[in-house]
Structures are given as structure tokens and as C-alpha cells.
Amino acid sequence: MVQPVDKRVLEGGSISKWREGGNAYVSVEVSSRLASKAKVEVKIRNFSVTMDTSSALGGDDNAPRPGELLLASLAGCITQIIAWNSALHDISLEDVSITIRGRHELLSMFDPSVGWPGFNDIVIEVNVKTPEWDKFEKYVLPYIVAESPVLQTLVKQVPVKLRVSVNDKQRRDLYIPD
């Protein structure tokens, strides 16, 4: 049996405070720096995440690739949505596991005429073990897609601005097409 999220924290704490205040926005900021070759160090609050790529793409293959971390974020987000909604509806979970597979054309990162450089498809497989399938199907399943901010960011058209500075002098905003 998986230890559940404390329902009191959600109901009596965070959720009710956000509803009372009428504003639950949070700003998220990460920063990255090229460490060597294709190795990137990313700072997330008080955490550090390293990314790299295979030697075929100039890296040392010492850490996950950025696309893999994107899929890992998606898996983590969906898992948390399941945990939170299960806790709110007193559904016990024996196990939750997610496997996500994505496929993309590598050459397109260097030659856009080849095709789309992002993932061409993503398949999410969720495996849940619970003795309360009927409750899970009613109170959790419909909200996996609706409440996952990472999944919603991927499927909706979210405006993105790209600002580039060179030598701390020139600044240019680049248009990112839909």
C-alpha cells in the first residue's frame, strides 16, 4: 500500500486558502548554464539538475537528455494528480506507475526542412492498483488530463516568448510560431 497524501493538508490548508484568497498563481523560474560540451546545469529553486546528450550529439551521455526530463516531468505531474485526487476522495492506492514513450526525428534539430524537431508522438501508459476501482474511475480518472498542468501545457497553445542577448548588449525577441 502506498502512503497517501495527507488529505487535511489539501482540504484544510492549501486548497481552502487558495479559494479564499481568489488567487493561486505561482511563478516558476529555472536557470541553466552550459557546463561543458552539451552538458547543462539547471537550477530549480534549491535543486540542481544536470542534462546531457549522447556522444553522437556531442555530449558525454552522463545525464538525461532535455526531452527525457520533459517526459519525466509529465510522468511526475500525472502521478501527483492521481495521488492528490485519490487522497481527496479517500481512495487507497496500492501502486501507481507510469511509462511514457516519445519519438522525434533527431536530424530535424539541425535541418528544419526534415520535419518537426519536437516529439512527433507521446504515449502515456498509466498502471494503477487500487481495491476501489469504481471510486477511482469516478473521482480520479476524469481529472488526470483536466488537472495536469504539464500535460495541459503540452497540448494547449501556450504563448512563449524567446528573448536573446549577445554579450549583454543586444537583445532580440524572436517569434515562435504555433
Side-chain angles (χ1 to χ4, degrees):
M1 192 68 65
V2 174
Q3 182 178 1
V5 171
D6 187 344
K7 180 178 176 180
R8 295 169 299 176
V9 171
L10 297 175
E11 285 183 329
S14 303
I15 295 173
S16 62
K17 287 178 185 172
W18 294 332
R19 284 190 177 126
E20 290 168 11
N23 184 346
Y25 284 96
V26 63
S27 292
V28 177
E29 180 177 300
V30 301
S31 61
S32 71
R33 194 166 293 289
L34 184 62
S36 68
K37 295 183 184 179
K39 184 178 178 182
V40 178
E41 297 289 338
V42 180
K43 298 291 182 196
I44 306 168
R45 293 183 291 129
N46 296 322
F47 305 97
S48 181
V49 176
T50 302
M51 297 180 214
D52 200 358
T53 193
S54 67
S55 59
L57 292 171
D60 292 320
D61 203 12
N62 288 330
R65 297 185 303 256
E68 291 169 327
L69 291 174
L70 174 72
L71 297 183
S73 295
L74 179 57
C77 186
I78 291 171
T79 305
Q80 289 177 340
I81 294 297
I82 291 169
W84 293 329
N85 281 296
S86 294
L88 288 170
H89 297 284
D90 299 313
I91 299 168
S92 60
L93 298 171
E94 293 174 2
D95 188 37
V96 177
S97 62
I98 296 180
T99 301
I100 302 181
R101 292 176 185 85
R103 185 177 59 89
H104 63 95
E105 166 61 56
L106 292 176
L107 186 57
S108 63
M109 294 187 302
F110 305 98
D111 181 0
S113 69
V114 172
W116 168 254
F119 285 107
N120 295 88
D121 56 61
I122 296 173
V123 177
I124 305 166
E125 296 175 0
V126 179
N127 186 18
V128 177
K129 292 182 183 173
T130 176
E132 301 161 288
W133 173 249
D134 292 340
K135 282 176 66 177
F136 184 89
E137 188 173 28
K138 181 177 181 180
Y139 296 111
V140 180
L141 196 56
Y143 302 102
I144 292 173
V145 173
E147 295 180 353
S148 169
V150 176
L151 180 57
Q152 287 298 316
T153 299
L154 288 174
V155 299
K156 294 197 175 192
Q157 293 183 354
V158 176
V160 177
K161 295 177 184 171
L162 175 61
R163 295 187 171 136
V164 180
S165 298
V166 178
N167 299 326
D168 295 325
K169 294 179 184 176
Q170 300 171 352
R171 182 171 157 184
R172 190 161 172 204
D173 290 350
L174 301 177
Y175 172 71
I176 299 177
D178 296 342

